[in-house]
Every structure is written in C-alpha cells, then in structure tokens.
Amino acid sequence: MSFRLRGRAAGQWRLRQGQESLHFNERLFAADPAQHMPDTVAHEVAHSVVYRCHGRGKRPHGPEWRAVMKHLGFEPRVTHETSPELLARILNHHLYRCACRSHALGPRQHQQVHRGKRDYRCKLCGERLIRADQTTGLAVREK
Ligand SMILES: [Zn+2]
Ligand SMILES: [Zn+2]
C-alpha cells in the first residue's frame, strides 16, 4: 500500500503479476478526509474482493463491484465529490465555470484553453467553460 498516488484519482487498486496493491492520494485524503475516509478505501477494497471472488476480466465498476459495495454498506460511486474549488487549490488545477457549476481543469487542459487551442464544454449544460480563478484570490501559476 502506498499514499503516493497523484493527480485527481483518490485511490487505485492495482494488479501486477498476480500481486495486488492499494494506492491512495495523500493530498486528497488530507484536504477532504470526510470524502475519502472510509468511502475511497471501501471503493478500492471492493475491487480486491471482486478479483478474489471472480478473478480477472470483470468490468471494474460492473454489477459484481456494485454488489460488494452495497454489501459493505457503501454507495457504489465511481467518482469522488471533492469540490472543484478544493481541487484547484490543492492540485494546482485551474477553476472554470459554466452556466451551472464549477470545474477544475488540469494544467495541460488549462494551457490549451489559455493558448486558444481548445475549448471545453460542460457535459451537463453544454456551455463553454470560462476561467474563474483570476478573481478569487487563488494562487494562479502561469508557465
Ligand atoms: Zn474503481
Ligand atoms: Zn454546466
């Protein structure tokens, strides 16, 4: 087990050469403990249970995984709900807004928007994402 996971993934169950391991994102856990303890841990442990009961080849978040989560008493959620504002602050992401909510874009996505190479749209409302963190006093790093 390690706490060395980076980026937006909070946890990861890995299988390498028949060896299972669990990895967690220390920054996300520290910044939003209520979100990840114990839900993210249960999420990854459930992957291990599915592997032990059914072997390989099952869909990662398929019916077997959902059943294990429910059996353990957890909501079978695939994504965590750490707010985009918090992600922007702790992961060096950039905050964007559409008509309905905030979004955190990673450094690479942000560079593409910044250079006019690409636009991102909200999957819910379809609006173009507009940068929002210039006015909020958050530290903004430019390269
Ligand atoms: Zn998963
Ligand atoms: Zn939207």
Side-chain angles (χ1 to χ4, degrees), residues 42-51 54 58-79:
H43 177 123
E44 305 310 330
V45 167
H47 282 307
S48 172
V49 174
V50 170
Y51 169 66
H54 304 280
K58 296 288 172 194
R59 278 192 296 131
H61 304 114
E64 298 81 9
W65 179 83
R66 298 174 68 85
V68 172
M69 284 297 276
K70 284 195 180 137
H71 184 76
L72 294 174
F74 291 92
E75 191 69 30
R77 282 187 303 144
V78 173
T79 53

